[in-house]
Amino acid sequence: MIANLINQLENICKEAEIEIASIASLAQLNEINIKFLGRKGLVSKLMSEMRNLSPEDKPKLGQKANEVKGKITEILEKKEVELQASEDEEKIKKDKIDVSLPGTQQKIGGLHPLTQTINEIIDIFVHLGFTVEEGKEIEDEWHTFDALNIPKSHPARDVQDTFFVKSSPEIDCSDNQTVLRTHTSPVQVRVMQNSTPPLRFIAPGRVYRNETIDASHYSMFHQVEGLYVNENVTFAELKGTLLAWAHAYYGPEVDLRFRPSYFPFTEPSAEVDVTCTMCSGKGCSVCKQTGWVEILGAGMVHPNVFKSVGYDPEKVSGFAFGMGPERIAMLKHRINDIRLLYENDTRFLKQFV
Ligand code: DAH
């Protein structure tokens, strides 16, 4: 009886040895452990025969069982080390990084061409000693028109051009309705109301006009307003400031041309052209063969504007200007349709990154 049981134990051990030799993964290792050494495993099952043995045979079987268990455990452990090592090796092979391979290029965004243009315009004026101010896009008629010497009868106030904001019936009936500002000039009024001369600032921002949209018109666009107020400000200073700006922006070879014009809030007023940078002033389709392109309006601040903010026009004088960054950006980048600036087509935008 005991000899038979010991023989069976030896067979179990051999069987285990063969099975362990043939396994290929750590998961299988556990299954084999359970099959041979588990609580209901082959060795334990055999040990239930113990109670049928004589007292002197019992320890013999116990001893053999421990020997077999020890042996199987030892083979399992050895196999585990082997399998672990080869699995680690596999993993290292799979995860190996070739540091000499080119990386995946990350796409980074860029500033909108118009934002770039506005930032460049601002930078130059900041270097010329101008501060940067902000006004309100939703304005009232007084700041947008009346205070700027634009009378009620002026065509610019027409509903055709101006977006009126219906905020309440009370405001709608008043003669100071809420509007979307049609230009950045009301910032002049707001800043002057809140400070005393001398002052020198630019005010970039959005403006709105009830325009029919086409290649050169949009219902929302930008302006950069400028104002300098001090004692004895001259038109020569206006010319010098704008020329210094143009040389910094376009290069020292460009010139400016001041054409007499009319704006209600300046007297005298001028429309200002810069040498066409496409043809260096020789004449081309962009400048319609004139050699010049218009980029801004300017002039000496009208006494009525000073009066409306409580400044004494006998004591102070000043110059103002307003430029159109859309036009400046379009000329610079040869963009022939203003709508491209607002469609957010990445095929267009990524040319400027
Ligand atoms: N506000 C004018 C416009 O919308 C532009 C302008 C012209 C602004 C002359 C000025 C200026 O400050 O002096 O078209």
Side-chain angles (χ1 to χ4, degrees):
M1 172 95 186
I2 176 74
N4 179 19
L5 287 173
I6 286 180
N7 197 21
Q8 282 191 48
L9 271 173
E10 272 166 4
N11 284 343
I12 288 173
C13 189
K14 271 186 210 136
E15 198 186 325
E17 216 169 328
I18 293 165
E19 281 195 30
I20 293 168
S22 73
I23 64 170
S25 78
L26 285 167
Q28 283 174 293
L29 204 69
N30 195 34
E31 280 167 30
I32 291 199
N33 193 10
I34 293 168
K35 176 176 173 186
F36 290 94
L37 306 178
R39 227 163 17 91
K40 291 180 182 157
L42 294 176
V43 176
S44 301
K45 239 189 228 159
L46 208 77
M47 294 300 282
S48 62
E49 300 289 330
M50 181 86 88
R51 57 189 136 87
N52 304 325
L53 289 178
S54 63
E56 58 271 29
D57 281 348
K58 277 186 183 167
K60 285 186 194 151
L61 184 68
Q63 202 186 345
K64 189 67 189 173
N66 283 341
E67 204 179 287
V68 166
K69 273 192 201 163
K71 182 119 191 259
I72 296 177
T73 308
E74 194 185 311
I75 310 173
L76 278 171
E77 277 171 3
K78 219 167 119 210
K79 190 73 184 176
E80 187 179 3
V81 173
E82 253 170 53
L83 287 172
Q84 189 67 57
S86 73
E87 267 185 30
D88 286 354
E89 206 176 312
E90 278 296 301
K91 193 168 188 299
I92 289 168
K93 252 192 228 153
K94 217 170 72 204
D95 294 352
K96 197 168 169 195
I97 295 168
D98 181 352
V99 288
S100 68
L101 280 176
T104 341
Q105 202 174 5
Q106 296 294 315
K107 289 208 175 77
I108 50 162
L111 291 179
H112 191 283
L114 192 59
T115 308
Q116 292 178 23
T117 303
I118 294 172
N119 287 350
E120 286 163 19
I121 294 171
I122 293 173
D123 274 359
I124 297 169
F125 280 114
V126 167
H127 278 99
L128 291 171
F130 285 73
T131 58
V132 182
E133 300 285 346
E134 236 176 286
K136 299 162 179 253
E137 287 179 32
I138 300 173
E139 258 297 357
D140 56 45
E141 280 190 288
W142 188 82
H143 286 87
T144 313
F145 303 120
D146 299 80
L148 288 161
N149 199 36
I150 306 172
K152 290 263 182 288
S153 58
H154 196 282
R157 298 179 69 143
D158 203 290
V159 276
Q160 302 279 317
D161 301 330
T162 308
F163 285 116
F164 289 82
V165 179
K166 253 196 197 150
S167 34
S168 75
E170 199 185 317
I171 289 175
D172 285 345
C173 296
S174 82
D175 58 2
N176 189 21
Q177 292 186 37
T178 306
V179 296
L180 296 184
R181 68 179 178 191
T182 54
H183 54 176
T184 44
S185 302
V187 189
Q188 291 186 27
V189 180
R190 292 214 172 257
V191 174
M192 284 195 282
Q193 278 182 316
N194 292 321
S195 43
T196 49
L199 41 102
R200 180 165 47 189
F201 68 88
I202 53 165
R206 287 189 180 147
V207 301
Y208 302 85
R209 283 185 204 172
N210 195 359
E211 304 265 17
T212 306
I213 293 170
D214 62 24
S216 45
H217 296 90
Y218 211 76
S219 49
M220 186 276 297
F221 53 99
H222 296 73
Q223 289 188 334
V224 178
E225 191 77 18
L227 181 70
Y228 174 48
V229 181
N230 206 342
E231 286 170 14
N232 304 316
V233 176
T234 67
F235 200 93
E237 284 171 283
L238 169 63
K239 290 180 88 171
T241 303
L242 292 177
L243 192 61
W245 176 83
H247 283 166
Y249 188 78
Y250 291 105
E253 64 285 352
V254 303
D255 206 356
L256 290 182
R257 179 173 77 165
F258 288 69
R259 282 180 290 107
S261 185
Y262 172 78
F263 298 106
F265 32 89
T266 45
E267 183 59 37
S269 304
E271 278 171 309
V272 183
D273 305 334
V274 65
T275 311
C276 177
T277 49
M278 303 289 171
C279 61
S280 308
K282 289 186 200 73
C284 66
S285 62
V286 171
C287 59
K288 298 196 181 82
Q289 310 305 327
T290 63
W292 298 98
V293 286
E294 187 192 327
I295 52 163
L296 60 96
M300 303 306 290
V301 179
H302 196 288
N304 286 350
V305 177
F306 283 140
K307 278 184 208 156
S308 66
V309 296
Y311 285 9
D312 183 351
E314 298 296 325
K315 292 208 177 101
V316 290
S317 53
F319 66 68
F321 57 85
M323 48 175 71
E326 271 86 354
R327 196 168 155 68
I328 291 170
M330 287 168 76
L331 285 168
K332 180 171 180 176
H333 300 296
R334 299 183 186 222
I335 300 165
N336 59 9
D337 193 322
I338 193 171
R339 290 168 287 199
L340 287 166
L341 292 172
Y342 298 111
E343 277 163 0
N344 280 335
D345 186 331
T346 51
R347 288 168 303 179
F348 169 76
L349 293 175
K350 70 181 169 199
Q351 298 175 55
F352 305 96
V353 173

